[in-house]
Amino acid sequence: MTTWKEEKVGNETYLSRSLTFKDFAEAFAFLTYVAMIAEKHNHHPHIYNVYNRVDLRLTTHDADYTVTEKDLRLAAEIDKIV
C-alpha cells in the first residue's frame, strides 16, 4: 500500500500520495468521496487524475505552503476510504 510522503517542491512542502484504481470510474468515485471530505474539513487538496491514477497533494496555503495539522487530519480521513 502506498503511503503519504512529505515532499518539497521549490519553496512549498506537500504531503503527497499516489493511488491506482481498477479503472477511471473507480478513480472518479474515490475523488467524489475525497471532495466531500475536503468540503467537510474546509481544506482542499491538489488533485491530479489521469485514467485510473490519482495523485493528491496536501499543503496549507495560509501557512506559507507547509504541511500542518490540517493536512495530517485530512490525510487520515482520506486513508479511511482507500
Side-chain angles (χ1 to χ4, degrees):
M1 176 158 103
T2 305
T3 58
W4 294 95
K5 63 181 178 181
E6 195 169 301
E7 65 178 325
K8 193 155 181 73
V9 179
N11 293 329
E12 301 173 0
T13 305
Y14 294 91
L15 201 56
S16 64
R17 184 170 184 184
S18 295
L19 300 111
T20 303
F21 296 90
K22 180 181 74 171
D23 55 27
F24 178 73
E26 191 175 278
F28 199 85
F30 168 76
L31 287 175
T32 301
Y33 286 112
V34 169
M36 290 187 286
I37 292 167
E39 280 296 302
K40 181 178 108 180
H41 285 259
N42 192 32
H43 193 54
H44 304 90
H46 294 237
I47 297 172
Y48 307 93
N49 169 234
V50 177
Y51 183 58
N52 67 335
R53 183 183 167 119
V54 172
D55 297 319
L56 301 171
R57 282 185 175 174
L58 307 177
T59 191
T60 303
H61 303 106
D62 57 356
D64 295 325
Y65 295 91
T66 61
V67 174
T68 66
E69 187 63 33
K70 289 173 83 169
D71 304 297
L72 298 172
R73 282 193 306 266
L74 182 57
E77 286 295 311
I78 292 170
D79 284 346
K80 291 178 184 177
I81 63 169
V82 174

